[in-house]
Amino acid sequence: DDEIATEVAWVVVYLSALSDIASSMMAKNNFLQLLVERLASSNSLQLLIPVLRSLGNLIAGDTRTTSAVLVAGNEGTDQVVAALVKCLKSEHRVLKKEAAWVLSNIAAGSIDHKKLIFSTEAVSLLLRLMVTAPIDIRKEVAYVIGNMCVAPTEGSGKPRVIVEHLLLLVRGGCLGSFIELVRSADIEAARLGLQFLELVMRGMPNGEGPKLVEREDGIEAMERFQFHENEDLRNMANGLVDTYFGEDYGLDE
């Protein structure tokens, strides 16, 4: 019964959000599989929303448990991604947003988790949403794309760029969409845009990153922060312009 299942799903949302112990117990007791089965079989928006939220909470909670449950090549793992792809294709914006949020939690995990997403239809759907979706969805998609491009951090330094992923995503046409985020009045969106530009300029092979950003009018987008009231964004943007477009830029051409 969808009505009862919906009530139970909201209980799981609250438990998984508030209690690490409850999240760990549910993840270890095949609860993820139950959620995925509901996600795959139901078309009820009222049920799918708390199921997606519960799934995201469980995946974001216990990293070791998640790594044990979401194993590349495992049938259950494939079902998780397939169910999320179904939601990305939905006409309901809330499902697209929630599915992107769950994927961002998966993409924040191990290299294998990033490769898992990268090997599926989800990538082409995310790239399309990055262009066509409202800004609240584009922000969630930006988290997924950014997470897929960096290795898990070790220490306090900058995360290592996964060049293969970055190359394919930039070639897929996402750079212009991130520069649009930089131009946004939304502070979180602008920060996500600047963070991705940093990855592109630092990580693209053969020094191509700054040239690609310049070609998409990224310098102008960053320079609007020169006297911005938000200190973090001002320092980030000015630092990127100084680092990659300083007085030596273009001298080797």
Side-chain angles (χ1 to χ4, degrees), residues 44-210:
S44 165
L45 183 63
Q46 287 72 25
L47 174 58
L48 291 174
I49 291 170
V51 167
L52 265 174
R53 177 60 58 168
S54 298
L55 189 61
N57 286 348
L58 291 176
I59 289 169
D62 187 331
T63 305
R64 286 173 298 180
T65 303
T66 304
S67 297
V69 173
L70 292 177
V71 180
N74 180 287
E75 183 181 351
T77 301
D78 292 342
Q79 289 174 348
V80 171
V81 178
L84 293 172
V85 164
K86 167 192 167 183
C87 293
L88 288 178
K89 292 179 176 178
S90 169
E91 62 184 30
H92 298 290
R93 62 182 289 167
V94 66
L95 292 185
K96 293 176 182 177
K97 184 177 179 179
E98 291 285 339
W101 175 72
V102 177
L103 284 167
S104 73
N105 286 333
I106 297 174
S110 68
I111 294 287
D112 285 341
H113 288 137
K114 299 171 196 292
K115 289 180 177 178
L116 169 67
I117 298 172
F118 219 84
S119 66
T120 70
E121 185 186 358
V123 173
S124 62
L125 295 170
L126 291 166
L127 288 172
R128 191 180 314 145
L129 288 171
M130 198 66 200
V131 175
T132 62
I135 193 165
D136 59 329
I137 296 175
R138 280 189 284 141
K139 285 193 294 185
E140 295 297 344
V141 171
Y143 278 113
V144 188
I145 292 175
N147 286 341
M148 284 195 293
C149 290
V150 293
T153 52
E154 295 177 6
S156 57
K158 291 181 179 178
R160 178 176 62 82
V161 177
I162 303 174
V163 176
E164 178 187 1
H165 289 184
L166 181 65
L167 265 172
L168 290 171
L169 288 164
V170 171
R171 287 173 181 168
C174 71
L175 181 56
S177 299
F178 275 95
I179 290 174
E180 284 303 312
L181 291 186
V182 174
R183 293 193 178 100
S184 169
D186 184 297
I187 296 297
E188 182 185 14
R191 181 179 286 108
L192 286 165
L194 289 170
Q195 288 171 344
F196 191 77
L197 293 197
E198 190 276 329
L199 293 179
V200 169
M201 292 189 286
R202 174 163 60 94
M204 288 294 284
N206 305 316
E208 281 297 307

Side-chain angles (χ1 to χ4, degrees), residues 188-239:
E188 182 185 14
R191 181 179 286 108
L192 286 165
L194 289 170
Q195 288 171 344
F196 191 77
L197 293 197
E198 190 276 329
L199 293 179
V200 169
M201 292 189 286
R202 174 163 60 94
M204 288 294 284
N206 305 316
E208 281 297 307
K211 298 172 189 175
L212 291 172
V213 170
E214 182 181 25
R215 203 174 300 154
E216 296 278 353
D217 293 329
I219 300 176
E220 176 271 328
M222 288 185 284
E223 285 181 338
R224 64 182 282 270
F225 290 99
Q226 188 172 3
F227 302 106
H228 198 275
E229 62 185 15
N230 185 289
E231 184 179 2
D232 288 343
L233 292 185
R234 185 173 69 244
N235 291 341
M236 191 186 308
N238 291 342

